[in-house]
Amino acid sequence: MRKLFGTTGWTAVLLAAALCISVTLTASAAPLWAEVVTIREPDGSSVEIKVWGDEFYSVGETLDGYTIVRDGATGLLSYAELSADGTELVSTGVAAGEPAPQRGLEKHIRITPEAARAQALAVREDFERRASGAPLDQLSRGMRGLTIGDVVGITLIVDFSDDVATIPPSDIDNYCNDIGYTGYGNNGSVREYFLDVSEGLLNYTNFVPTHYFRAPNTKAYYCDPIAPYGQRARQLVQEALQDLDDNGFDFSQYDSDGDGIIDAVNCFYAGDTWNAWAEGLWPHAYTVTWCGDGVCTHAYQITNLGSQLRIGTFCHENGHMLMGWPDLYDYDYDSTGVGRFCIMCYGTSATNPCEPCAYMKYDAGWGDVTVLTNPQGGLEVPIGTNVMYKFEHPELPNEYYLVENRQRTGRDVGLPDDGLAIWHVDTEGSNNNQQQTPEQHYLVTLVQADGRWDMENNVNYGDGTDLYAATRYPECSPVTYPNTDWWDRSESGAFFMNISTSSATMTLDFHNAAYVLELASSVYATEIEYYGTALYTATLKNWAPVDDTATVEVGHDVLPDGVGPSDWTAEFREAGGAWQTGPSDFVLGPGEEKALEVRVIDTIGTVAGMAVTTLSAQSSVDPQSSADISFGTFVEAPSILIVDDDGGESYETYLETALADAGYGAMTSDAEHDGLPRCGREPVPDEHRVSVEQVASEHVHHGLPPRRFVGERQQRVPHDRCRERPRVGRNGADGPRRPDPAGKQ
């Protein structure tokens, strides 16, 4: 619906006032926040108060912060205190114009959020029950009219015998239609606002009569608080329309899209708002039925003129009527929606309202929209062009992200921050739901770069750390906080990266994690004999939703140092194809996979070493999407058996050290009788000597296959040196040495 009634009120707002009062307000139907208004009390006195809210739920305070409520006995605004259960404001009986009670009265008191929500809903439902028109579930959006081209609305101007107009009709005509308008401090007319924010696509003007329609009843009649809220406002609108018809007005000219519905009906009435919230002529928007010249009315908005004209509220309400835009503020005021970042929420200035957010422009068909699918770099986002980028949910058309550039200049000069605004949209959500759960969340969420979610938590209306720009917030992605997940907590895969510093034209890179090349294998390492060959299999898969051409290549490195990659051969092929060493392109459809084979050959007979072979694939669709896997091919070093065949002084220790440094394993054994060591001055007799071949055979028998054998010449060693000789290397991975007989070294 369009904004369902739109302006100020108070917390105990829903209490009926016995008498009409005057509120010195300008045209105001959008929500107020701490705005100072002047109330004319039933006794003729006036009191200034601050107001938060709209016509369905509002809070009022004195200027020094005491909450007020209408006193049921006197009809005066009075200091309030909370009921025992916190669900009601109770009058203290002391009028707001008097000094505050001295009994410890608290400032800024509020009823519980649950009670406030229930009160607001009750008033809305009661208004719907008594009014004609759309049901409540349609009130947050309007009936969309023509959003592009020439659209002409009707602006009724009404005064009363007991409240005569003071603003000339020509001022209202200029306010609605002039180019270069600056009256009453406004930045342009209503027409200029919509020309600006639509980039010239919507030329919205209004017919304004040359004289006021004098209502047949007094203003006091229409303000009667006893009458159901909105009833006499609709009566006043119908009377003014009928007066035009009686004077020959052709209503058929005000249906731009030919759907039989008059595009927009605005009604300004003279003077201040005499009513309290949710009574009489309190400003609001709703539906009214009146037909003439083959067309009928549907939506209307009504507000008071006050003493000056401001375009903010008028543009907000016509956003409802013309474009069918929803409100983005929280109706029960326990969160702040999208704060100051959109005219359909709190906006910025009454005379220079901020622009609609990206969702509103996109919804109206004004966006220069690029749908992001393929990863791209250097995307430009200028202001003043309605350029925006959209990233869509792969299955749900109601959920998507929008990215736009917002700068504190022109109509956006009053924004809390500037940079890239990233919006998370779910058209099935509601900005009454700030819970941020899969089931309950906003329709339009500003992804706040600082991750504090101040607006959902009712802390503020936006601040200087909400938008994205380098160097503080250069990225929003699945790996940042906040992230780019969908509301069901699944990853969207959207990377908004390398966001530039804030400027009139910002840039960013987009990467879609859905564009993934995957290489996988079941075996990543193997051992071969020297001069051997290793064979691996791999699967290359394209997970992207579009065709991709993957460039595949193979490379390797070899250890130890001194053996170069060229000493080995690494090749790959599509299974069953020809082996190749150079890069090759493979075309893969969405979800398609190809079987690859990798062959690694030790072409030089490496004594001991390892080859690390890498198979890599690079996407042609997404420069940031690549995949690689590595295979480790090992050549086992030979086990070398050192045989000491004389029992004398041994050099095997030095051999073991040198071989270890070269990467070989070694084992030493004495070739004596029964393979046992023997020390002495005399050589070991030949008949007791064990041959090198026998020792080798014994080791093979024990599962230790030596590849090379080193025999040590027989030497005579003095007995004392034999006893002191260390036995280094005889215990090792290849098995234990045999024990010496007792008393032998």
Side-chain angles (χ1 to χ4, degrees):
M1 80 184 181
R2 347 28 259 279
K3 169 169 186 256
L4 193 60
F5 326 136
T7 118
T8 80
W10 305 275
T11 308
V13 262
L14 308 176
L15 297 176
L19 298 171
C20 285
I21 63 174
S22 172
V23 183
T24 303
L25 293 173
T26 59
S28 176
L32 296 186
W33 192 258
E35 292 199 27
V36 177
V37 300
T38 301
I39 301 295
R40 191 174 72 182
E41 293 279 55
D43 62 2
S45 64
S46 295
V47 58
E48 284 191 327
I49 63 172
K50 288 183 179 180
V51 178
W52 292 258
D54 62 11
E55 69 279 18
F56 288 140
Y57 181 78
S58 303
V59 179
E61 289 183 356
T62 61
L63 298 185
D64 54 354
Y66 289 101
T67 304
I68 56 175
V69 67
R70 181 74 67 189
D71 185 271
T74 66
L76 300 175
L77 294 175
S78 302
Y79 293 99
E81 57 188 359
L82 277 176
S83 63
D85 61 4
T87 62
E88 292 183 273
L89 292 174
V90 179
S91 172
T92 61
V94 179
E98 301 295 328
Q102 299 299 312
R103 56 177 187 233
L105 192 65
E106 294 184 17
K107 294 183 178 182
H108 313 299
I109 63 173
R110 300 292 187 269
I111 62 176
T112 65
E114 294 77 15
R117 187 177 300 113
Q119 287 187 7
L121 181 60
V123 174
R124 289 178 184 277
E125 289 178 340
D126 181 65
F127 189 89
E128 178 198 344
R129 179 178 59 82
R130 299 186 185 194
S132 61
L136 188 63
D137 62 359
Q138 297 176 15
L139 290 179
S140 64
R141 297 191 65 93
M143 178 180 292
R144 182 189 299 280
L146 191 67
T147 63
I148 296 175
D150 295 329
V151 177
V152 185
I154 298 171
T155 294
L156 306 171
I157 52 175
V158 179
D159 72 355
F160 312 93
S161 59
D162 52 349
D163 198 347
V164 177
T166 59
I167 295 179
S170 59
D171 282 11
I172 301 173
D173 187 274
N174 295 337
Y175 159 91
C176 287
N177 301 314
D178 264 8
I179 298 296
Y181 177 72
T182 58
Y184 298 91
N186 287 285
N187 177 18
S189 63
V190 173
R191 177 188 183 187
E192 286 179 293
Y193 177 84
F194 285 107
L195 279 170
D196 285 351
V197 301
S198 70
E199 293 303 312
L201 293 178
L202 176 62
N203 182 30
Y204 174 51
T205 57
N206 269 265
F207 166 78
V208 179
T210 57
H211 62 277
Y212 281 86
F213 165 66
R214 174 59 56 86
N217 300 292
T218 63
K219 189 172 183 179
Y221 167 84
Y222 298 102
C223 287
D224 188 351
I226 303 302
Y229 179 39
Q231 182 185 83
R232 292 189 177 174
R234 289 188 295 278
Q235 177 185 339
L236 181 61
V237 169
Q238 290 168 329
E239 289 168 346
L241 290 168
Q242 188 60 51
D243 180 70
L244 283 179
D245 190 52
D246 291 344
N247 285 280
F249 188 78
D250 184 1
F251 287 93
S252 67
Q253 303 303 306
Y254 298 88
D255 174 17
S256 302
D257 56 0
D259 64 352
I261 301 297
I262 296 172
D263 295 320
V265 176
N266 301 284
C267 182
F268 274 131
Y269 64 87
D272 298 323
T273 301
W274 282 11
N275 288 99
W277 42 87
E279 296 173 352
L281 295 183
W282 187 260
H284 63 269
Y286 205 65
T287 58
V288 64
T289 300
W290 184 92
C291 298
D293 300 319
V295 293
C296 296
T297 61
H298 175 69
Y300 75 94
Q301 68 101 359
I302 185 170
T303 192
N304 64 298
L305 282 168
S307 59
Q308 58 183 326
L309 297 168
R310 299 178 181 178
I311 67 171
T313 297
F314 196 96
C315 292
H316 174 107
E317 294 303 334
N318 279 271
H320 289 308
M321 285 195 291
L322 297 176
M323 275 63 71
W325 289 341
D327 285 319
L328 294 184
Y329 66 91
D330 188 337
Y331 287 149
D332 51 28
Y333 296 96
D334 55 355
S335 72
T336 61
V338 300
R340 302 290 186 191
F341 289 97
C342 188
I343 191 175
M344 300 312 293
C345 195
Y346 290 98
T348 51
S349 165
T351 55
N352 185 26
C354 67
E355 299 206 12
C357 61
Y359 169 71
M360 302 300 175
K361 294 180 179 181
Y362 171 74
D363 187 56
W366 301 340
D368 182 357
V369 183
T370 299
V371 177
L372 296 172
T373 52
N374 298 352
Q376 301 176 62
L379 298 172
E380 292 190 348
V381 198
I383 60 170
T385 59
N386 287 351
V387 166
M388 62 186 72
Y389 293 90
K390 181 185 182 188
F391 180 69
E392 300 175 333
H393 194 290
E395 298 176 359
L396 304 176
N398 56 288
E399 189 172 1
Y400 49 88
Y401 282 90
L402 292 173
V403 179
E404 67 172 340
N405 185 2
R406 303 292 293 273
Q407 296 292 317
R408 285 177 282 193
T409 184
R411 297 201 177 276
D412 275 350
V413 70
L415 292 183
D417 195 12
D418 44 19
L420 288 190
I422 299 178
W423 302 95
H424 188 179
V425 177
D426 179 3
T427 56
E428 295 181 2
S430 166
N431 275 49
N432 293 316
N433 298 330
Q434 72 275 14
Q435 291 83 353
Q436 295 183 283
T437 65
E439 299 77 22
Q440 290 184 295
H441 49 262
Y442 283 166
L443 183 159
V444 179
T445 298
L446 179 64
V447 181
Q448 293 142 65
D450 57 20
R452 294 197 299 258
W453 302 110
D454 288 334
M455 289 180 276
E456 284 77 1
N457 291 317
N458 212 24
V459 174
N460 60 35
Y461 302 88
D463 56 38
T465 55
D466 285 337
L467 303 187
Y468 285 85
T471 58
R472 181 182 291 180
Y473 301 115
E475 178 177 339
C476 183
S477 70
V479 297
T480 61
Y481 183 81
N483 58 41
T484 55
D485 288 356
W486 301 119
W487 278 118
D488 66 2
R489 307 301 193 228
S490 64
E491 285 191 7
S492 72
F495 286 76
F496 304 111
M497 306 168 61
N498 302 319
I499 298 171
S500 69
T501 55
S502 181
S503 64
T505 297
M506 296 185 65
T507 61
L508 78 155
D509 296 339
F510 171 73
H511 172 58
N512 184 351
Y515 286 79
V516 174
L517 284 174
E518 180 185 63
L519 278 169
S521 179
S522 58
V523 176
Y524 295 93
T526 190
E527 183 177 305
I528 62 172
E529 298 285 335
Y530 61 112
Y531 288 107
T533 298
L535 185 65
Y536 302 95
T537 60
T539 300
L540 173 65
K541 184 167 184 177
N542 172 29
W543 288 98
V546 297
D547 291 342
D548 197 356
T549 299
T551 301
V552 178
E553 56 186 330
V554 67
H556 64 258
D557 196 8
V558 181
L559 300 173
D561 293 340
V563 181
S566 62
D567 296 327
W568 288 51
T569 298
E571 305 169 315
F572 75 98
R573 68 180 181 181
E574 187 173 357
W579 292 106
Q580 60 192 74
T581 56
S584 183
D585 291 339
F586 293 88
V587 178
L588 301 114
E592 185 179 356
E593 60 182 45
K594 290 187 182 296
L596 304 179
E597 294 177 327
V598 176
R599 183 169 68 178
V600 182
I601 305 172
D602 176 10
T603 55
I604 65 168
T606 304
V607 173
M610 170 184 175
V612 179
T613 304
T614 301
L615 186 69
S616 62
Q618 175 66 56
S619 167
S620 64
V621 172
D622 178 6
Q624 300 192 57
S625 180
S626 62
D628 59 75
I629 51 176
S630 296
F631 303 102
T633 305
F634 301 88
V635 176
E636 182 183 3
S639 295
I640 299 175
L641 177 63
I642 303 172
V643 180
D644 178 3
D645 63 352
D646 68 350
E649 171 134 37
S650 174
Y651 293 96
E652 67 266 26
T653 300
Y654 307 104
L655 289 171
E656 289 167 351
T657 301
L659 290 169
D661 290 343
Y664 296 91
M667 180 177 179
T668 303
S669 181
D670 282 332
E672 300 182 11
H673 180 67
D674 294 330
L676 299 177
R678 178 172 178 173
C679 294
R681 296 182 181 275
E682 300 298 325
V684 178
D686 289 342
E687 65 270 20
H688 296 301
R689 191 172 303 282
V690 180
S691 70
V692 169
E693 288 77 14
Q694 287 176 300
V695 176
S697 297
E698 179 184 352
H699 282 265
V700 171
H701 175 72
H702 288 288
L704 304 169
R707 293 195 176 93
R708 299 179 185 181
F709 303 95
V710 178
E712 200 178 83
R713 290 185 178 182
Q714 170 182 324
Q715 295 186 22
R716 300 177 66 85
V717 184
H719 179 72
D720 57 348
R721 294 186 65 184
C722 175
R723 184 169 54 244
E724 297 299 324
R725 178 171 61 85
R727 300 181 180 274
V728 177
R730 297 192 185 188
N731 287 305
D734 292 335
R737 66 178 175 85
R738 294 190 178 190
D740 291 337
K744 287 210 171 189
Q745 296 294 321

